[in-house]
Amino acid sequence: MEAQAQGLLETEPLHGRDEDAVASADFSSMLSEEEKQELKAELVQLEDEITTLRQVLSAKERHLVEIKQKLGMNLMNELKQNFSKSWHDMQTTTAYKKTHETLSHAGQKATAAFSNVGTAISKKFGDMRNSPTFKSFEERVETTVTSLKTKVGGTNPSGGSFEEVLSSTAHASAQNSGSGPRRAEEELQC
């Protein structure tokens, strides 16, 4: 008989359709009047206990708030503490550690790549500066600057003041108004 009782009693919880069947079943027809009265009394007792527990919980929560106020703990401090604890907890997770390591490694690679690009660009500029074309261009610019200094500066070794240079340039351009700009352009093209 015990084997039959164990076969009838299942140890697994109800799932899905089983719960629906129990909810829709009408057990009141299977209960006697006396059992119904006992269940109603138990129901009232459980509701009273739940109400009492809610009141006790509410009183304890008020007491907790009072203690926190006396200790100077306010909502902002609690939020900071919770945030700090959460941040610490998150940093100790393996996912965070792996992500941090990956991003750190990627950052190091990116830095190395940018450094290599910068070195390559510097080398290219150095190579370009040493090229015959650039040297030729540099010599032309130096020649043009020297000739302009000579024309603008005149015979004054110090170069004169700004006003003197402007007046001599204006005087020189007035004298060479017909061929002045072309002549300067020709010298620049040399």
Side-chain angles (χ1 to χ4, degrees), residues 127-147:
D127 293 346
M128 185 179 76
R129 189 156 195 241
N130 292 331
S131 71
T133 306
F134 187 82
K135 285 185 177 181
S136 172
F137 176 73
E138 189 176 31
E139 288 171 2
R140 285 183 187 168
V141 169
E142 283 179 10
T143 305
T144 305
V145 168
T146 305
S147 67

Side-chain angles (χ1 to χ4, degrees), residues 9-10 25-27 30 39-40 46 51 57 67 80 82 86 93-94 101 113 115 143 145 147 149 151 156 162 176 188:
L9 298 177
E10 292 184 10
D26 185 16
F27 290 109
M30 295 176 17
L39 286 176
K40 285 182 181 180
L46 280 174
T51 303
L57 179 62
I67 290 173
K80 285 179 187 177
N82 288 343
S86 298
T93 62
T94 55
E101 289 171 5
S115 175
T143 305
V145 168
S147 67
K149 281 184 181 178
K151 286 183 180 180
N156 190 354
F162 184 68
N176 299 329
L188 285 175

Side-chain angles (χ1 to χ4, degrees), residues 87-147:
W87 179 248
H88 175 70
D89 291 347
M90 186 193 66
Q91 285 179 325
T92 58
T93 62
T94 55
Y96 176 84
K97 288 178 182 177
K98 286 181 181 179
T99 303
H100 180 70
E101 289 171 5
T102 303
L103 291 177
S104 176
H105 187 65
Q108 290 170 355
K109 282 188 174 185
T111 301
F114 285 133
S115 175
N116 290 341
V117 168
T119 303
I121 290 173
S122 297
K123 186 177 183 294
K124 285 289 184 186
F125 278 133
D127 293 346
M128 185 179 76
R129 189 156 195 241
N130 292 331
S131 71
T133 306
F134 187 82
K135 285 185 177 181
S136 172
F137 176 73
E138 189 176 31
E139 288 171 2
R140 285 183 187 168
V141 169
E142 283 179 10
T143 305
T144 305
V145 168
T146 305
S147 67

Side-chain angles (χ1 to χ4, degrees), residues 159-179:
S161 68
F162 184 68
E163 289 83 16
E164 291 173 355
V165 170
L166 281 177
S167 66
S168 68
T169 304
H171 181 65
S173 66
Q175 288 179 351
N176 299 329
S177 63
S179 64

